């Protein structure tokens, strides 16, 4: 089954653009739109350049069209060269509204949640079939001991970038009765998935989609400067949107406490958070070609 997906992204961290590459040509995904936070013309230019290289045409929206902000990391220019700035086709909330007119569209978020937050402000009764978010945190009371990362051992809460970038919007999405299903690919799992030299070599032996071939090209540039690799937060969330079996989940209630996020085991919340990941399955889904 091909899954319609609208992707909300930013460009401070390269893994959002890599996620865009994955989704644009993945055989299990149909990218129906891209919204960018905050949506400067430089950012829109990067997004359109990537889509153009992959031969994909979808609408691109911005939170604040025309705003002149330096929010593109230097890596993008090093990899892609100086690409021309472009304008968006719509405000992001309007593009999201149009995307959800199609029943079953998945919202995938890899940025602070101001774009979907603006949608809920404008249309509080909007129905979202499924929200897959890179964000949130599951602590020791949720994660079994064998799956805890040493860096998070003993913690129940932790700041997370995407949720803290727009906490009011995050809480609205987490509490809305009109979001049918919430799947959080949490910080405690994302930090266990890294694109490193070993993964780079594995991709050399596989037939790749045009999007994944472009990811490998970009990571060739990245690894030349940072040999330790890149945490692949958003590509993991995208792969989960295509196949939830990549991660193990627990149903929870998410809360915010003194600027940090946590989760409590709870029933009937329609919110699940990741507690472990199958890295082999992740790579298989990421590189699927049929």
């Amino acid at each position: 089954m091909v899954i319609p997906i609208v992707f909300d992204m930013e460009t401070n961290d390269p893994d959002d653009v890599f996620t865009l590459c994955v989704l644009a040509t993945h055989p299990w995904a149909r990218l129906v739109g891209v919204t960018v936070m905050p949506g400067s013309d430089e950012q829109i230019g990067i997004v359109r350049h990537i889509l153009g290289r992959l031969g994909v045409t979808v609408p691109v929206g911005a939170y604040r069209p025309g705003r002149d902000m330096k929010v593109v990391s230097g890596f993008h220019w090093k990899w892609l060269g100086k690409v021309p700035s472009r304008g968006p086709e719509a405000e992001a909330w309007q593009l999201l509204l149009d995307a959800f007119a199609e029943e079953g569209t998945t919202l995938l978020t890899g940025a602070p949640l101001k774009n979907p937050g603006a949608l809920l402000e404008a249309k509080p009764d909007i129905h979202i079939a499924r929200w897959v978010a890179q964000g949130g945190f599951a602590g020791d009371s949720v994660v079994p001991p064998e799956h805890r990362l040493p860096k998070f051992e003993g913690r129940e809460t932790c700041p997370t970038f995407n949720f803290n970038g727009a906490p009011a919007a995050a809480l609205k999405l987490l509490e809305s009765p009109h979001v049918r299903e919430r799947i959080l690919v949490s910080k405690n799992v994302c930090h266990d998935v890294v694109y490193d030299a070993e993964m780079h070599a594995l991709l050399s032996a596989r037939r790749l989609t045009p999007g994944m071939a472009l990811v490998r090209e970009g990571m060739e540039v990245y690894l030349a400067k940072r040999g330790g690799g890149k945490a692949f937060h958003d590509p993991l969330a995208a792969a989960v949107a295509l196949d939830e079996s990549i991660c193990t989940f627990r149903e929870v209630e998410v809360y915010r406490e003194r600027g940090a996020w946590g989760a409590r085991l709870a029933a009937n919340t329609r919110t699940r958070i990741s507690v472990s990941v199958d890295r082999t399955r992740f790579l298989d889904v990421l590189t699927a070609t049929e």
Side-chain angles (χ1 to χ4, degrees):
M1 183 177 68
V2 176
I3 300 171
I5 295 177
V6 58
F7 178 40
D8 186 57
M9 61 175 286
E10 48 97 8
T11 56
N12 284 306
D13 190 323
D15 70 344
D16 290 69
V17 171
F18 291 143
T19 302
L20 178 67
C21 295
V22 172
L23 292 172
T25 63
H26 199 287
W28 305 351
R30 177 165 58 85
L31 188 64
V32 299
V34 180
T35 53
V36 187
M37 179 64 210
S40 73
D41 287 354
E42 279 190 340
Q43 289 179 295
I44 303 300
I46 290 284
V47 170
R48 291 194 184 281
H49 176 81
I50 290 292
L51 293 173
R53 285 188 62 173
L54 296 173
V56 174
T57 302
V58 298
V60 181
Y63 178 66
R64 292 186 175 175
R67 187 171 183 184
D68 184 20
M69 295 181 65
K70 301 302 180 185
V71 287
V72 178
S73 77
F75 164 78
H76 294 86
W77 309 127
K78 184 181 291 290
W79 169 32
L80 300 170
K82 187 64 176 177
V83 304
S85 296
R86 301 281 298 275
E89 292 176 331
E91 287 191 52
W93 75 267
Q94 183 67 60
L95 189 153
L96 291 172
L97 180 65
D98 294 343
F100 296 132
E102 179 179 349
E103 178 65 26
T105 296
T106 290
L107 170 64
L108 173 66
T109 58
L113 297 163
K114 291 186 178 181
N115 284 328
L119 173 64
L120 290 183
E121 284 286 339
K123 301 288 182 179
D125 295 335
I126 186 72
H127 285 265
I128 300 173
R130 189 172 70 138
W131 170 35
V132 179
Q134 192 280 298
F137 180 77
D140 286 1
S141 63
V142 176
V143 181
E146 64 271 21
H147 296 310
R148 295 173 191 163
L149 299 183
K151 68 190 297 183
F152 298 128
E153 190 82 32
R155 300 192 70 159
E156 287 293 343
T157 63
C158 189
T160 69
F161 177 80
N162 290 337
F163 283 11
N164 273 348
L171 289 169
K172 283 182 181 178
L173 281 163
L174 290 163
E175 295 166 359
S176 172
H178 304 299
V179 180
R180 190 183 308 158
E181 185 179 17
R182 289 174 278 259
I183 302 167
L184 308 185
V185 183
S186 53
K187 185 169 185 171
N188 50 289
V189 164
C190 289
H191 281 242
D192 201 26
V193 176
V194 177
Y195 186 124
D196 55 13
E198 181 181 0
M199 185 181 292
H200 199 61
L202 286 172
L203 292 187
S204 300
R206 299 195 182 199
R207 184 166 65 94
L208 302 175
T209 64
M212 274 306 299
L214 194 52
V215 170
R216 192 180 186 282
E217 174 192 296
M219 282 303 301
E220 184 87 29
V221 175
Y222 190 94
L223 290 171
K225 186 75 172 180
R226 300 175 180 85
K230 174 78 186 72
F232 250 34
H233 301 164
D234 292 344
L236 175 60
V240 167
L242 300 173
D243 182 354
E244 294 178 19
S245 73
I246 290 169
C247 288
T248 303
F249 294 91
R250 305 290 297 275
E251 189 172 12
V252 296
E253 173 190 40
V254 175
Y255 62 94
R256 187 169 187 253
E257 186 177 88
R258 294 190 293 276
W261 296 84
R264 305 182 186 95
L265 294 174
N268 303 316
T269 65
R270 292 183 294 181
T271 302
R272 291 177 290 141
I273 198 165
S274 59
V275 297
S276 68
V277 60
D278 182 335
R279 286 185 291 275
T280 299
R281 181 61 186 158
F282 162 65
L283 191 59
D284 287 345
V285 170
L286 204 66
T287 59
T289 57
E290 59 183 26

